[in-house]
Amino acid sequence: MISSNDMRKGLTLDIEGEPYTVLEWQHAGEARGSANIRMKLRHLRTGATVERTLDAGHKFREVPVDRHPVTFLYWDGEFYHFLEIDTQDEIMLPAEVLGEARKYIVDNLQLDLLLLNDEPVAVDLPESVVMRVKETAIPRAAAGSHYKPATVEGPARIETGLVVLVPQFISPGDWIRVNTSNGEYIERV
């Protein structure tokens, strides 16, 4: 059992019988009241993100999740093929296991395959991924204020189908870095 005092990002916990990974957590004390812990969690199988607030003294059961480093090889239209780095075994996963993460999976990407009871349940993406822009659309001006100048951004479709808002100087064929947690453009590479 894990106490809320031992909480950290990346832990996989059993909450109401379901496996959730801790994305963010904050210990919050209220004036003249009991302390709480606020958590942002991702369901390990579905990828759904939820927020929970619980009493600070709450105990959690840790779910044992095995991590296997893999490299993405290719997609055959039905399965995503990965090479397990340690054993050199090929692993095939259907799109349902990858969920929204499949939009960020590009050739030769190294990531962690998460196994729960020897069953592949999800992948853990790196913080950012370098992706190639397939097409761009006409940019539109975003409103500015006296704190932040107006920007001109337009949608860009990546080879994986992901759509990202990018600055107007990005064109098809450019390589960009994309944040995998929120799908936002970081920089041109």
Side-chain angles (χ1 to χ4, degrees):
M1 297 295 269
I2 293 178
S3 166
S4 58
N5 296 331
D6 300 325
M7 190 64 57
R8 65 184 185 277
K9 183 179 175 180
L11 278 177
T12 303
L13 308 172
D14 182 332
I15 298 178
E16 298 174 359
E18 294 292 325
Y20 285 90
T21 300
V22 177
L23 301 176
E24 299 173 11
W25 69 277
Q26 178 183 13
H27 194 271
E30 297 178 10
R32 296 186 182 170
S34 63
N36 291 325
I37 183 166
R38 289 187 208 133
M39 298 184 293
K40 185 173 182 181
L41 307 162
R42 181 183 308 130
H43 193 281
L44 196 59
R45 287 194 175 96
T46 66
T49 304
V50 297
E51 293 188 19
R52 292 278 170 96
T53 303
L54 300 168
D55 292 334
H58 197 83
K59 300 270 187 194
F60 302 94
R61 189 172 71 83
E62 188 173 2
V63 176
V65 175
D66 293 326
R67 292 177 169 270
H68 292 268
V70 296
T71 301
F72 175 65
L73 298 174
Y74 63 96
W75 179 56
D76 65 11
E78 186 178 353
F79 292 99
Y80 287 79
H81 295 257
F82 296 89
L83 181 67
E84 189 171 356
I85 293 173
D86 297 335
T87 64
Q88 297 297 303
D89 290 337
E90 187 173 328
I91 299 168
M92 299 184 315
L93 298 176
E96 303 83 54
V97 171
L98 300 174
E100 290 297 308
R102 69 180 180 263
K103 294 180 181 178
Y104 300 97
I105 296 178
V106 294
D107 291 345
N108 299 316
L109 179 67
Q110 292 189 352
L111 48 122
D112 285 339
L113 176 63
L114 305 178
L115 292 115
L116 181 63
N117 300 326
D118 293 329
E119 174 194 348
V121 291
V123 292
D124 191 12
L125 295 168
E127 288 184 25
S128 65
V129 176
V130 174
M131 308 175 91
R132 181 179 224 143
V133 175
K134 184 175 182 182
E135 62 186 51
T136 57
I138 299 171
R140 62 180 186 273
S145 70
H146 65 282
Y147 294 112
K148 180 181 172 189
T151 58
V152 179
E153 295 181 327
R157 183 171 304 281
I158 308 301
E159 291 177 331
T160 62
L162 179 69
V163 176
V164 179
L165 284 178
V166 298
Q168 64 184 1
F169 58 81
I170 300 294
S171 33
D174 285 351
W175 291 88
I176 62 171
R177 184 175 307 280
V178 178
N179 183 324
T180 58
S181 63
N182 59 19
E184 293 180 357
Y185 166 85
I186 298 173
E187 64 183 349
R188 179 167 54 179
V189 290

